[in-house]
Amino acid sequence: MTATVKQMWRHPIKGIGAESVTQVRLETGGPMPLDRAWAVLTGTAEDTGAWQHCRNFARGCFGPELMAVTAQTQGETQGDKITLRHPKQGEITLDPATDGAKLVDWLRPIYPAERPQPHSLIAAPAGGMADANFSALSILSLASLRALVETLGQELDPRRFRGNLWIDGAAPFEEFDWVGRQLQIGEVRLEVIDRITRCRATETNPDTGSRDANTLKALRDHWGHTDFGIRAKVLCDGNIALTDTLELV
């Protein structure tokens, strides 16, 4: 089986803003560079300097309007400025190291008042602040997405799933068979660790910030689970780019 990388995404602030990229350099044991490099604490959660559970942060499953945010980083390091855009809130450019309060003020009108409120923008540890407590890339299949689209009878933007790499060329949900296997993408070898169980963020249209698709019910009713995509650890340094091939090793 040979598949091809068709899309690449990162999310500089956890749950808030997707950014497309065309190539990246990966490091052994690391995440997609600048993916979940920052996160916004909510409620009584405090910065511990370490990985924290996703329940402590502003996320699309809690505040669907966040799914409509797009991001554009101004460089390739954690200290570079980030521009965010939202159909209701317009555009904001911030230095994440110093402009946390500015971001929180920008988010408040689009975050549900009944939820624990956002209060602090924090830097993630070196491995990023993904939902899993280990660093990995998320790999998703366009064939699986097409199968879900056919089941639902409506189009689904890949951004709903906040993945890093979208590949095409495998059979629908074939990627689940790769758990425990190694993959080669471009210069990089990866080990597939597990499947990704999904939350209500996938129900939200990333253009509008409104829930409009019962993705979880469709997955559960037709496939008996709510999993979509896989996580893979990076085993060596190297570059990956759009149109690179994915092969089982």
Side-chain angles (χ1 to χ4, degrees), residues 148-163:
L148 184 56
V149 164
E150 183 176 0
T151 296
L152 277 169
Q154 68 183 94
E155 290 299 317
L156 298 173
D157 190 307
R159 290 176 295 164
R160 290 176 185 258
F161 297 87
R162 301 185 69 78

Side-chain angles (χ1 to χ4, degrees), residues 5 7-9 19-24 164-165 240-242:
V5 177
Q7 298 182 28
M8 300 172 62
W9 296 88
E19 177 181 28
S20 64
V21 293
T22 58
Q23 59 182 5
V24 294
N164 295 136
L165 306 182
I240 59 172
L242 293 180

Side-chain angles (χ1 to χ4, degrees), residues 114-152:
E114 67 274 14
R115 297 293 314 180
Q117 289 300 290
H119 60 78
S120 300
L121 177 64
I122 65 169
M129 199 69 81
D131 288 355
N133 63 353
F134 58 88
S135 295
L137 265 67
S138 55
I139 302 173
L140 292 79
S141 166
L142 289 171
S144 301
L145 183 64
R146 288 191 291 268
L148 184 56
V149 164
E150 183 176 0
T151 296
L152 277 169

Side-chain angles (χ1 to χ4, degrees), residues 163-199:
N164 295 136
L165 306 182
W166 282 90
I167 57 99
D168 206 5
F173 296 100
E174 179 184 350
E175 62 273 18
F176 291 163
D177 297 334
W178 304 342
V179 174
R181 301 282 303 273
Q182 291 189 11
L183 312 173
Q184 186 77 31
I185 305 177
E187 301 174 348
V188 178
R189 185 163 294 194
L190 306 101
E191 180 183 2
V192 181
I193 303 301
D194 60 8
R195 295 156 51 152
I196 303 173
T197 299
R198 292 298 170 173
C199 68

